């Protein structure tokens, strides 16, 4: 089953869902010593360059709608899932829960991984750090707590069940 984000709900996903830092290096004090879940090729790459291997990384080989020439190579066990743009699939959601339960893990998405932040927050234990890129601005860091989980549940409730992939995100 797919879950599609309706066009009228997309505005809720424009603002950072956490604290915005200009770089991964600026966020090091906040994420050090925590479980780290990275969503995005560049965030994962930048964490590796900063000396942090994420416990869970979700990548798709694409950055800002173009092939990522710097897709990070991780030796973590890899799970491949399909996830169309503007969607969340049961396979991606299940892969995130499995990865969080048995890190380290790499989830390689055929499609788009941007919305994986929502199930990542829901799957993550309290105190974990979920990171994702905010294009042309930096990196967003979410420290998982009840408030963040409640917001992630609310954001997930905006999706509609769908058997058709919405390719026009």
């Amino acid at each position: 089953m797919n879950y599609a984000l309706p066009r009228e709900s997309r505005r809720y996903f424009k603002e950072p869902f956490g604290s915005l830092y200009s770089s991964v290096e600026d966020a090091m004090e906040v994420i050090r010593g925590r479980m780290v879940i990275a969503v995005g090729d560049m965030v994962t790459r930048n964490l590796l360059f900063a000396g942090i291997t994420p416990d869970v990384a979700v990548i798709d080989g694409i950055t800002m709608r173009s092939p990522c020439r710097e897709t990070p190579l991780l030796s973590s066990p890899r799970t491949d899932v399909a996830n169309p743009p503007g969607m969340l699939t049961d396979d991606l959601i299940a892969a995130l829960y499995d990865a969080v339960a048995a890190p380290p893990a790499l989830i390689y998405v055929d499609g788009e991984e941007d919305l994986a932040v929502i199930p990542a927050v829901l799957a993550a234990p309290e105190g974990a750090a979920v990171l994702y890129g905010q294009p042309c601005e930096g990196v967003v860091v979410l420290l998982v707590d009840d408030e963040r989980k409640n917001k992630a549940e609310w954001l997930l409730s905006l999706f509609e069940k769908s058997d058709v992939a919405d390719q026009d995100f």
Side-chain angles (χ1 to χ4, degrees):
M1 179 61 68
N2 293 327
Y3 303 89
L5 182 61
R7 209 168 284 292
E8 64 272 9
S9 296
R10 294 178 184 176
R11 62 189 165 138
Y12 298 110
F13 293 80
K14 301 295 183 199
E15 294 297 314
F17 176 27
S19 300
L20 179 63
Y21 293 85
S22 60
S23 69
V24 165
E25 290 78 14
D26 290 342
M28 294 297 280
E29 291 294 319
V30 176
I31 63 176
R32 197 175 318 263
R34 298 177 184 272
M35 172 182 245
V36 174
I37 301 169
V39 177
D41 294 70
M42 293 307 292
V43 169
T44 302
R45 173 197 167 274
N46 292 340
L47 281 165
L48 291 170
F49 280 174
I52 294 179
T53 301
D55 296 285
V56 176
V58 184
I59 62 174
D60 64 1
I62 305 289
T63 296
M64 295 180 65
R65 310 233 189 255
S66 297
C68 181
R69 300 185 198 282
E70 301 181 62
T71 295
L73 298 175
L74 294 170
S75 60
S76 304
R78 176 176 160 158
T79 301
D80 289 39
V81 298
N83 192 77
M87 311 284 286
L88 286 171
T89 62
D90 282 337
D91 288 344
L92 175 58
I93 294 168
L96 275 160
Y97 276 88
D98 291 347
V100 167
L106 170 64
I107 300 170
Y108 192 89
V109 177
D110 178 13
E112 189 173 87
E113 93 290 76
D114 297 0
L115 296 171
V117 170
I118 298 161
V121 170
L122 294 172
E126 186 156 327
V130 177
L131 286 75
Y132 70 93
Q134 186 76 11
C136 302
E137 293 186 49
V139 62
V140 177
V141 178
L142 288 128
L143 299 181
V144 177
D145 59 13
D146 287 339
E147 180 182 339
R148 298 281 189 229
K149 284 187 179 277
N150 288 338
K151 182 165 184 185
E153 285 178 8
W154 178 76
L155 290 169
L156 188 59
S157 76
L158 298 174
F159 286 74
E160 297 174 350
K161 287 186 180 182
S162 172
D163 290 326
V164 178
D166 179 1
Q167 298 295 326
D168 185 31
F169 187 66

